[in-house]
Amino acid sequence: MGIRIVVSSFAGNWREGISIQTLAFLEIDFFALAVLLLIYLNIRHSSGQYIEQKIFMILILADAIILILDMGMWLLDGKTGFLIREIYILVTAFYYVFNPLICMIWYFYVDYKIYKSANRLKRVMIPMLVPAAVNAALSLASIFSGYMFYFDAENIYYRGSLFPLMAVISLFYLVYAMILIVAKKNLLEKREFFIMLVFGIPPLVGGVVQSLVYGLSLVWICATFSALIIFINMQNNQLYTDHLTGLFNRRQLDSYLRQNSQAMEDRMLAGVMIDLNAFKQINDQYGHNIGDQALQHTAEILTKTFRERDFIARYGGDEFLVLMTVHDCKVLKAAVQRLRENVKRFNEQSETPYQISLSIGYDCRSVESEQDVNDFLKHIDQLMYEDKQRRQPA
């Protein structure tokens, strides 16, 4: 692994010191581990989506393990001494086992991020484990056979004849995840689509380069960089997204109103204020977990109903707000009608112990109107209240 320059002496039978190349990669691996530790410490107590966060934590752990194994390989290569060869063989075997595993975990993260379904994740898990299991079996068998890797008499590591198989399996998971992201981009917000697509690029490029250029160790450093991108996105989501429903929160509403104030003056603004009826009764009768579920189902119905470019937020408690720019108020009326139809369809098909019922206030503000945005929000809130009153039994 490069020209060895002795920079220190070792006790025992270690014949050579650490080369400059080895030191450089050790420093890079150590820096990547420090980044992963900081990410872990920042998200371990956060209140994001539980399954999504758990998969991401496993991804970070797997990346950390493989970086430690990579450091071990750099330290042990070409060294001799008591049990050094045996330890090096085991470290290398597990390094090969973990290579596709971290790529597989990334695929699971993508699958859950897109479909938000734990049941689907369970269904795809077994078939997706097969390539990784084949690689693990061959990697462990290489301890005796040298299929994936082997060592010469000087205890120097070499790739085996089946090394390309491990690389192909790892790339399979990364490429398949990218294909899934592109194919299902309509199920992702635009910002999340680009961030998740970008995630796979650094380890994909690093993996290809590392496979072609012997002696480089890039892929998992690149994976750490990608994990940092996802972490930053998660932090932004926690700042501007309601953690329960996944919709925007009041903070993002304020930001949206500031950034689009001029556009709202130049185009017709449409707004919908929505209240989940009988929310307190659902909480009291079935418990807060079921109440939270009712809010989540309502958010899903709203996301399904309105356009991707429309602004949908949890306004507070059991209230939601949708803001749209339209050329004709008929667009708003059609959207409200879709909303009512989707609520009806949900109640017909769902097996929940409650029915979703919404009070809705909606209107359009013309370009010529002198009403400011805050007054407009109060206006549709009053319309929603009046609709709620009409639904009350006499």
Side-chain angles (χ1 to χ4, degrees):
M1 285 191 177
I3 301 171
R4 290 175 172 78
I5 300 175
V6 177
V7 296
S8 62
S9 59
F10 290 86
N13 295 322
W14 284 46
R15 298 174 309 164
E16 297 182 48
I18 302 178
S19 70
I20 291 176
Q21 182 184 17
T22 299
L23 276 175
F25 279 109
L26 286 175
E27 289 174 359
I28 295 171
D29 283 346
F30 186 80
F31 177 77
L33 279 170
V35 170
L36 292 175
L37 178 61
L38 288 173
I39 293 174
Y40 170 78
L41 293 175
N42 274 276
I43 68 172
R44 60 175 176 166
H45 297 308
S46 62
S47 56
Q49 297 287 337
Y50 175 71
I51 296 178
E52 177 186 328
Q53 183 173 302
K54 190 173 182 179
I55 298 172
F56 186 68
M57 294 280 279
I58 295 171
L59 185 70
I60 290 174
L61 177 62
D63 194 6
I65 290 172
I66 206 164
L67 284 168
I68 293 170
L69 293 170
D70 187 59
M71 292 171 72
M73 289 179 67
W74 280 105
L75 284 170
L76 295 170
D77 190 61
K79 304 299 185 297
T80 59
F82 180 68
L83 293 180
I84 294 298
R85 184 179 183 87
E86 290 75 12
I87 294 171
Y88 193 10
I89 291 172
L90 285 175
V91 166
T92 306
F94 282 106
Y95 178 83
Y96 271 68
V97 168
F98 268 84
N99 265 269
L101 280 182
I102 189 171
C103 302
M104 180 188 69
I105 296 165
W106 167 243
Y107 166 78
F108 290 151
Y109 181 85
V110 168
D111 192 278
Y112 185 79
K113 189 75 175 176
I114 291 173
Y115 293 103
K116 299 287 193 300
S117 172
N119 290 330
R120 173 187 160 80
L121 198 59
K122 291 176 183 176
R123 290 197 304 271
V124 302
M125 190 169 289
I126 293 177
M128 293 304 287
L129 277 168
V130 172
V134 170
N135 175 78
L138 289 172
S139 298
L140 294 175
S142 296
I143 294 174
F144 310 101
S145 65
Y147 291 142
M148 292 281 198
F149 59 87
Y150 64 93
F151 301 88
D152 65 12
E154 302 297 319
N155 205 30
I156 295 176
Y157 154 84
Y158 293 95
R159 296 170 178 175
S161 60
L162 291 184
F163 168 83
L165 178 62
M166 183 271 287
V168 168
I169 292 173
S170 300
L171 292 174
F172 159 73
Y173 288 118
L174 290 174
V175 172
Y176 190 62
M178 293 180 75
I179 292 171
L180 185 62
I181 292 167
V182 173
K184 301 296 181 181
K185 65 178 181 178
N186 60 308
L187 299 178
L188 294 165
E189 294 179 14
K190 186 177 293 185
R191 183 182 63 179
E192 288 192 330
F193 165 71
F194 285 111
I195 287 174
M196 293 181 69
L197 196 61
V198 167
F199 176 97
I201 295 175
L204 186 62
V205 173
V208 171
V209 173
Q210 184 171 316
S211 297
L212 296 176
V213 182
Y214 183 75
L216 284 180
S217 183
L218 297 174
V219 62
W220 305 121
I221 299 162
C222 293
T224 301
F225 175 74
S226 294
L228 184 61
I229 294 173
I230 296 297
F231 167 69
I232 293 171
N233 182 57
M234 290 172 68
Q235 294 299 101
N236 287 334
N237 284 342
Q238 288 183 16
L239 281 175
Y240 298 107
T241 305
D242 176 62
H243 76 277
L244 180 64
T245 62
L247 301 178
F248 291 124
N249 57 18
R250 287 292 291 268
R251 185 198 295 262
Q252 179 64 6
L253 171 63
D254 294 339
S255 175
Y256 176 84
L257 293 176
R258 285 195 305 270
Q259 294 174 10
N260 295 275
S261 58
Q262 186 58 49
M264 291 176 183
E265 298 298 329
D266 299 337
R267 288 178 287 179
M268 183 180 291
L269 176 65
V272 189
M273 192 71 74
I274 301 149
D275 182 84
L276 175 59
N277 296 323
F279 178 63
K280 185 178 185 302
Q281 289 89 325
I282 294 173
N283 267 334
D284 292 343
Q285 186 171 354
Y286 302 109
H288 289 283
N289 287 340
I290 299 299
D292 290 347
Q293 183 190 80
L295 291 172
Q296 290 168 339
H297 284 312
T298 303
E300 290 168 2
I301 292 170
L302 293 176
T303 303
K304 181 179 179 181
T305 298
F306 292 94
R307 303 170 301 184
E308 183 180 345
R309 65 178 180 270
D310 297 333
F311 181 88
I312 310 173
R314 185 181 178 191
Y315 197 61
D318 55 356
E319 291 187 2
F320 301 85
L321 172 67
V322 182
L323 293 176
M324 315 164 61
T325 53
V326 296
H327 64 279
D328 193 314
C329 210
K330 291 179 181 178
V331 176
L332 171 64
K333 292 176 181 178
V336 172
Q337 183 58 35
R338 282 199 310 273
L339 175 58
R340 289 176 171 145
E341 290 171 357
N342 286 336
V343 169
K344 181 182 178 182
R345 188 176 297 112
F346 173 86
N347 289 330
E348 290 172 349
Q349 298 176 356
S350 174
E351 297 180 357
T352 57
Y354 54 83
Q355 296 273 291
I356 285 183
S357 171
L358 304 178
S359 295
I360 305 172
Y362 62 96
D363 204 353
C364 293
R365 190 195 67 168
S366 66
V367 176
E368 298 80 14
S369 175
E370 296 182 359
Q371 187 181 46
D372 67 23
V373 174
N374 289 326
D375 288 338
F376 177 68
L377 295 182
K378 292 176 183 176
H379 168 61
I380 59 175
D381 186 59
Q382 178 61 32
L383 293 176
M384 182 269 291
Y385 177 75
E386 292 171 4
D387 184 52
K388 194 175 189 70
Q389 290 298 107
R390 286 192 294 269
R391 293 172 182 274
Q392 297 288 344

